[in-house]
Every structure is written in C-alpha cells, then in structure tokens.
Amino acid sequence: MTLSTAPSPTGTLIDGKGFSAEVRARIAAHVSALGARGITPGLAVVLVGQDPASQVYVRNKGLQTREAGMASFEHTLSADTTQGALMALIARLNADPAVHGILVQLPLPSHLDSDAVITAIDPAKDVDGFHILNVGRLATGQKAMVACTPLGCIMMLRAQLGDMSGLNAVVVGRSNIVGKPMAQLLLRENCTVTIAHSRTRDLADLCRRADILIAATGRPRMIPGDWIKPGATVIDVGINRITENGRSRLVGDVDFDSAVTVAGAITPVPGGVGPMTIACLLANTLTACCRSAGLPEPEGLTA
Ligand code: GUN
C-alpha cells in the first residue's frame, strides 16, 4: 500500500486521513468476524470534568468506536470526583468482561493522581499503552500495548518507507505519550535514534541529519524547512490552534509551507497523524479483545 497522494512542489503528502479510513475499515471487518462468534470488542472511556477539548476528543472516540461495530462505554465524572471514586470505577471496568479497553482521558484535574490511576488499569486493557508494564514491555522488545499516536506514526512510516534499517531518526520531544515510545518503536525498526528536547544543542544541525524527523514539541511551526534534510520523511505530531489574520486554525510543529518544498514526504496538519491516533485506539481495543479471547491478533495493526 502506498500513502502518497497529491504531489506537492517536491515532497509527497502522507495522507493520514485516507490511511486511517483504510485501517478503520480493516478493523470493522475483523469486528464483524468476531461478531459471528458472539464477541463484541468494548472500549470504556472515562472523562473527568468538562474540559471542552477533552469533550470533543471523547465524543469522537465514541462515534468512531461505534462506527467500527464495537461497544462504547462512556463514563463522565464531575470535576470534583475523588481519587477513591475514580479508582473504584477503574476496578469495576477491570472486572467487566464486556470491557476490553480502558482509556482515562488526560489531563485529569490537578487534585487527582494520574500515575496512580494509570497504574490501576489492568495492563491487558491499557489501550493507551501508558501503564509501566506496557512501557517496560515495549522497551524490552516484548509484546505490549503501544501508545496510539506513536503506533499510528510507525504504521505510516512502514507504509511509506518499508525497511527503515540504518536510517537516522530524530525525535524532537521527550514526552511519555509520544517522544519516548516513538523512539523505542524506531529502534525496533533498526533506525539510529536520537531524542532531542528543549535543552538540545544545535537542534537545527541535528534535524538536518535526520532521514526521518518526528516533530512532537507542542510548539507551533517550530521546525522550519531549512532544518530538514532534502528528501527526508517528516512526521508532524503537533496539533496547535493559533489565530492568524484574525482567524483560528490548526498548525503543526513543523512550518509546513517551507518544509514541503524540501521533504521527500510529510504529514499535513490537520489530516496527518491526528486521524491515525483514534484508528490506533480502535486497533488496540481489537487487539486486547483478541488476546483476551485467546484468538489470533489482527495482522498489521500492532507494533
Ligand atoms: N489526552 C490527549 N491525548 C491523549 C491520549 O492519547 N490518551 C489519553 N488517555 N488522554 C489524552
């Protein structure tokens, strides 16, 4: 399968929207086959409080879960929910055989201990891949649940590049959700991996040596085209809302207009990494369901 769609001045666009639709269609076909055996994968999403951005994410997750034929269980708790009440809900979901995946939407209100909540999730149901057991399994090359955004990135890279052995990969950003698991996945693909961050010296120079550049800084258009090696593959994880000329719009961590003239291939924002993240959440839920039923895992949907 190739991801290249519309040719741009030099680089090709990596069409995350189209690719995610293909992935979701494959998932829906698996789910339908499971249905014939009386099995329905189920995803529970827990939202604490009323953060508008989180509400949008949670609504989208619910919609796409149902569209794929899975069961969606949505739990909305008030912003002043106690740690005890949240932990009791996690225990109930852990014990519920209809629930194969559990996602607690982050960030949680500041009075709640996110680490304790994530650690309380059954690692087999940890479709976010945030539990330390899954993080450790990924780092040691064992079968793990892998965080959705990096999983989506590696799926796009595999489809775009095939064998990545020996390529220089630079990951800009060291978060637990994206940067660190992304680096582990690239290492598994036999890339030579560097993780850069806000204290990195000569960042421009480092980026210019990257055959694969992953931008996950959360800083709008931080990486200009002249930091990019000609022909490099650029994955822009950033989703930043900015106001420009009085209009609100989404931009990535890469300055797309200058980068697209240098890169070999690049993900746009929106329409690149974003749609793949929810597709991978569904993929992880399906994988968790198959594992719990002792059935073979779907091919091409795991790390
Ligand atoms: N908030 C923003 N992104 C994510 C994510 O991938 N998982 C969870 N649980 N919360 C998020």
Side-chain angles (χ1 to χ4, degrees):
M1 176 196 331
T2 175
L3 296 181
S4 304
T5 53
S8 52
T10 56
T12 50
L13 295 188
I14 300 176
D15 177 14
K17 198 172 167 200
F19 191 35
S20 75
E22 272 180 48
V23 169
R24 282 184 282 118
R26 271 162 50 206
I27 291 169
H30 275 284
V31 171
S32 165
L34 285 175
R37 295 167 169 257
I39 299 170
T40 306
L43 172 65
V45 175
V46 180
L47 174 64
V48 184
Q50 298 186 324
D51 175 60
S54 294
Q55 284 176 326
V56 171
Y57 284 131
V58 167
R59 203 166 41 240
N60 280 338
K61 283 169 190 167
L63 277 174
Q64 294 196 25
T65 304
R66 285 186 290 275
E67 261 173 36
M70 300 185 184
S72 172
F73 308 100
E74 285 157 41
H75 296 266
T76 305
L77 306 181
S78 64
D80 61 358
T81 294
T82 62
Q83 184 80 19
L86 184 51
M87 296 296 253
L89 173 59
I90 300 294
R92 279 210 308 281
L93 297 174
N94 281 342
D96 186 342
V99 172
H100 303 96
I102 301 170
L103 178 144
V104 178
Q105 185 69 25
L106 301 177
L108 288 171
S110 57
H111 69 280
L112 296 172
D113 179 347
S114 309
D115 287 341
V117 171
I118 291 166
T119 306
I121 296 172
D122 177 349
K125 297 189 178 188
D126 168 36
V127 282
D128 257 330
F130 293 168
H131 192 289
I132 48 172
L133 206 67
N134 282 316
V135 174
R137 283 178 181 153
L138 174 64
T140 52
Q142 298 175 56
K143 207 173 255 195
M145 299 303 299
V146 176
C148 302
T149 298
L151 180 57
C153 294
I154 212 76
M155 283 167 67
M156 287 192 287
L157 283 169
R158 280 187 193 140
Q160 187 70 33
L161 293 172
D163 182 13
M164 287 174 253
S165 294
L167 295 181
N168 282 336
V170 173
V171 181
V172 189
R174 56 176 157 180
S175 69
N176 290 334
I177 294 183
V178 181
K180 288 178 198 162
M182 190 72 241
Q184 294 290 353
L185 289 171
L186 289 161
L187 208 48
R188 274 196 184 188
E189 300 288 331
N190 300 313
C191 291
T192 303
V193 182
T194 309
I195 305 182
H197 46 78
S198 54
R199 309 281 175 89
T200 296
R201 292 188 192 156
D202 301 325
L203 180 59
D205 206 43
L206 183 68
C207 290
R208 284 186 196 113
R209 278 182 268 144
D211 302 303
I212 297 171
L213 183 64
I214 312 285
T217 66
R219 297 174 62 183
R221 294 181 181 143
M222 184 195 147
I223 298 179
D226 69 353
W227 288 18
I228 292 167
K229 179 176 177 176
T233 302
V234 178
I235 304 288
D236 190 349
V237 179
I239 302 178
N240 309 291
R241 187 161 287 284
I242 62 160
T243 305
E244 202 170 54
N245 304 326
R247 288 176 63 187
S248 167
R249 60 178 296 205
L250 292 179
V251 298
D253 295 350
V254 175
D255 178 44
F256 182 84
D257 290 346
S258 59
V260 74
T261 65
V262 189
I266 182 169
T267 57
V269 177
V273 173
M276 284 302 291
T277 296
I278 296 189
C280 287
L281 176 65
L282 304 182
N284 278 348
T285 304
L286 175 61
T287 300
C289 176
C290 291
R291 285 178 187 167
S292 86
L295 295 169
E297 290 172 21
E299 267 178 44
L301 297 177
T302 52

